[in-house]
Amino acid sequence: MKNEEIPQMTLERLPLYYRTLQQLESRGFESVSSQQLAGFLNIKPEQLRKDLSMCGSFGTKGIGYVVTDLKKNIGNFLGLQYNRKIGIVGANYLGIALATDESFAEFGFEVAAIFDKSPDLIGTEIGDIKIYDFAKIKSVVQRKQIDIGVIAVPKNDAQEAADALVAAGVRGIWNFASIKLFAPNKVFITDADLSFGLSILNYHITNKK
């Protein structure tokens, strides 16, 4: 089944299943039932089974799911086997935090470059990741075969960053700026506006009985 045929909510849950299976594998679990896995994530077993069936994962009655096999199946469905390279625009606190986040590697992503306009930062390194001149973003993206751009700059600079990433040839953008970005349909954009998550959290706190 193609990803565009998968309901958005299901697609958003699959990485949560993958991460949970990683943790179960590290704890020595060989198999897990739909009831157990659903319980870890506070969802209904029926919903979990429906989600997993959409990516071709079926459990065995009396056994459940083999943890390593299910993790691999979900990972392949999400394309994690391709080890995509990431370029981050913005060597600020957010950009540095993202660049040093070890969970990227756990999902097969590699931060290959950071881009910034500050002369004081260009040429320096965060760990072993070099900060490049924003003006050279196209050549660096193409040379390092970067597929995904991450925008970690203020909203007033975000569209310029997006335009540069698109012109450089990235296929997807993860946007942390609190602004709607415009890009060709061939470039997928995922927004990570932190105020959205806080607003939803505030709703639950406000309405908790």
Side-chain angles (χ1 to χ4, degrees):
M1 182 177 289
K2 296 181 180 179
N3 284 16
E4 57 264 28
E5 297 174 353
I6 299 292
Q8 183 64 27
M9 293 301 295
T10 295
L11 197 54
E12 291 176 1
R13 283 190 291 266
L14 290 177
L16 297 178
Y17 300 156
Y18 184 87
R19 174 172 289 162
T20 302
L21 290 164
Q22 278 186 322
Q23 295 173 325
L24 291 176
E25 187 177 47
S26 68
R27 289 174 176 268
F29 281 72
E30 295 184 358
S31 63
V32 62
S33 69
S34 58
Q35 287 81 4
Q36 287 176 311
L37 188 53
F40 293 142
L41 295 164
N42 197 29
I43 63 173
K44 295 180 179 179
E46 296 80 7
Q47 181 64 65
L48 180 138
R49 288 192 290 267
K50 182 178 179 182
D51 289 345
L52 296 182
S53 69
M54 290 186 178
C55 59
S57 299
F58 301 93
T60 302
K61 188 174 182 179
I63 298 177
Y65 299 95
V66 177
V67 171
T68 54
D69 292 347
L70 182 57
K71 189 192 77 169
K72 181 178 179 180
N73 198 359
I74 295 174
N76 288 344
F77 181 81
L78 292 171
L80 301 182
Q81 71 272 29
Y82 293 113
N83 299 315
R84 304 287 185 188
K85 292 185 178 180
I86 296 173
I88 299 175
V89 181
N92 48 30
Y93 289 116
L94 175 58
I96 293 172
L98 292 170
T100 55
D101 190 335
E102 296 180 355
S103 65
F104 285 177
E106 293 174 3
F107 274 67
F109 296 105
E110 175 191 348
V111 178
I114 305 173
F115 302 97
D116 204 277
K117 292 183 178 181
S118 173
D120 294 334
L121 296 174
I122 294 170
T124 62
E125 296 184 349
I126 304 299
D128 59 351
I129 307 168
K130 187 175 179 179
I131 299 176
Y132 295 89
D133 188 344
F134 177 78
K136 298 180 179 179
I137 190 169
K138 185 172 184 177
S139 62
V140 176
V141 164
Q142 294 179 350
R143 174 163 54 86
K144 289 184 170 289
Q145 298 181 316
I146 292 172
D147 294 303
I148 298 172
V150 178
I151 294 180
V153 296
K155 64 181 181 180
N156 291 339
D157 300 318
Q159 188 61 56
E160 179 188 7
D163 292 342
L165 288 167
V166 170
V170 302
R171 300 174 62 187
I173 294 175
W174 194 17
N175 173 38
F176 279 83
S178 56
I179 189 173
K180 170 66 177 178
L181 296 178
F182 296 92
N185 291 334
K186 66 180 180 179
V187 178
F188 297 93
I189 297 179
T190 296
D191 294 310
D193 190 333
L194 302 182
S195 63
F196 288 177
L198 286 172
S199 297
I200 294 171
L201 181 61
N202 187 61
Y203 166 81
H204 288 296
I205 293 173
T206 303
N207 292 278
K208 184 176 178 59
K209 301 299 184 181

